[in-house]
Amino acid sequence: MAAVNSPKTAGLEARQTLGWWRAYRFLILRRFSQLGIILMFLSGPFWNVWILKGNYSGSTLLETLPMSDPLITLESLAAGYLPSWQTLLGAAIIVLFYAVIASKAFCSWVCPLNMVTDLAAWLRRKLGIRSSAKLPRHTRYVLLAIILLGSAASGTLVWEWLNPVAALGRAFVFGLGATLWLVLAVFLLDLWVVEHGWCGHLCPIGATYALIGSKSILRVNVIDRKRCDRCMDCYHVCPEPQVLRKPLHGETSDSPIVLSKDCISCGRCIDVCAEKVFAFGTRFQGNIRVKNLS
């Protein structure tokens, strides 16, 4: 059994054993996805080719297919406003897509703020910054409830005053603005105060997508528990490390599939594992016999 690796060197064994591409492939693909979506928003203002028109709160694909943020749609309904049929259709399309595809895939493959929080997490590991505060992970679900109740009580879209995802999206499309301090606050929170503080503990958008994708098909699978040498690299890089415990180190009766709704389907555990313990699969593979540690 290998010694526990330092967070500073997480992924080093995978790079040495499997090569650079294999150790970073899902991270690279996610960056292409996130930056590609930003470019699709910019294609209209810059080149007059409207691939995505609007913003992360609401947009149209090729000026035809509507897409709406489910949280904003819920806020509108809670506030007593019936959105247009296009907005409702757009929300239904997004909900259906993420309900079927993968748990919280929006958070890791679409959300631009993920690049900010990933940078903060990387700096924490490299600088050896230890957590100085703790927050319950269910706080995000409490905030989600408060936002909807606040919208109902005030008749306004409460969250849009403090939405760092929308603030960063506007910064890419319209340039730096006054609300960019929200993005800086998220970065500093994750860097100095709480490890994975925003995405892992506070973000109500992530909480919404967790509930939407709780029964989604695509899942991270533990192929063979015997391969795990407990180096801890997967725990070091995972934004939601608690989701790995039962599938990886649980009892024989525990599913080897990461079924937690809090998994963001980022694939970093797959990237950094030199022993090839993890792979993407489906939630229906749980009937396969678990090869337990011995």
Side-chain angles (χ1 to χ4, degrees):
M1 183 178 293
V4 174
N5 291 335
S6 165
K8 293 182 181 180
T9 61
L12 177 60
E13 288 183 46
R15 292 195 298 273
Q16 294 173 338
T17 305
L18 305 174
W20 189 86
W21 164 251
R22 176 62 177 74
Y24 288 104
R25 55 178 174 164
F26 287 114
L27 178 61
I28 294 169
L29 290 172
R30 287 195 295 116
R31 294 296 176 260
F32 272 116
S33 174
Q34 292 159 336
L35 294 173
I37 290 168
I38 291 169
L39 285 176
M40 285 192 282
F41 278 119
L42 295 176
S43 66
F46 285 2
W47 305 295
N48 201 32
V49 178
W50 296 95
I51 301 176
L52 280 175
K53 190 173 186 178
N55 52 49
Y56 288 90
S57 298
S59 61
T60 56
L61 177 63
L62 300 175
E63 299 191 74
T64 302
L65 185 67
M67 293 181 289
S68 309
D69 175 26
L71 178 53
I72 292 181
T73 305
L74 287 174
E75 284 184 273
S76 298
L77 292 170
Y81 298 104
L82 181 63
S84 67
W85 71 266
Q86 292 95 334
T87 299
L88 292 173
L89 175 61
I93 290 170
I94 294 298
V95 167
L96 180 62
F97 178 80
Y98 287 106
V100 171
I101 298 300
S103 173
K104 294 181 72 175
F106 172 87
C107 301
S108 55
W109 293 84
V110 177
C111 180
L113 199 61
N114 174 256
M115 294 184 285
V116 175
T117 57
D118 273 3
L119 175 60
W122 179 82
L123 285 173
R124 282 186 74 98
R125 293 196 299 272
K126 296 303 179 183
L127 297 176
I129 300 172
R130 306 297 296 176
S131 295
S132 54
K134 298 290 184 181
L135 283 173
R137 290 188 179 271
H138 67 262
T139 304
R140 51 191 153 191
Y141 299 103
V142 175
L143 288 176
L144 175 59
I146 290 173
I147 286 167
L148 295 178
L149 290 172
S151 295
S154 66
T156 63
L157 304 182
V158 172
W159 173 237
E160 294 317 295
W161 294 93
L162 297 170
N163 187 348
V165 177
L168 185 56
R170 287 192 295 268
F172 281 118
V173 177
F174 302 111
L176 302 181
T179 55
L180 203 60
W181 69 269
L182 293 168
V183 178
L184 179 61
V186 168
F187 175 77
L188 294 176
L189 170 74
D190 276 29
L191 180 62
W192 292 110
V193 184
V194 182
E195 186 175 12
H196 304 299
W198 179 254
C199 294
H201 299 80
L202 294 176
C203 181
I205 298 175
T208 305
Y209 280 102
L211 296 173
I212 290 170
S214 62
K215 302 299 181 182
S216 56
I217 295 173
L218 186 64
R219 295 285 169 168
V220 173
N221 294 347
V222 174
I223 299 172
D224 187 349
R225 289 175 177 173
K226 290 181 181 179
R227 297 182 188 178
C228 178
D229 60 7
R230 296 179 182 257
C231 70
M232 300 299 288
D233 278 2
C234 57
Y235 286 94
H236 292 324
V237 301
C238 181
E240 304 273 4
Q242 79 282 357
V243 308
L244 300 176
R245 292 191 187 109
K246 281 191 175 182
L248 188 56
H249 298 124
E251 302 295 331
T252 305
S253 58
D254 289 324
S255 173
I257 314 302
V258 180
L259 294 173
S260 171
K261 64 181 181 299
D262 292 330
C263 174
I264 70 170
S265 304
C266 66
R268 283 299 285 149
C269 58
I270 304 173
D271 282 344
V272 303
C273 183
E275 306 301 326
K276 299 182 180 179
V277 172
F278 302 98
F280 275 120
T282 74
R283 67 182 300 114
F284 306 114
Q285 291 172 271
N287 293 326
I288 298 175
R289 182 177 179 271
V290 179
K291 298 177 181 178
N292 199 19
L293 286 168
S294 60

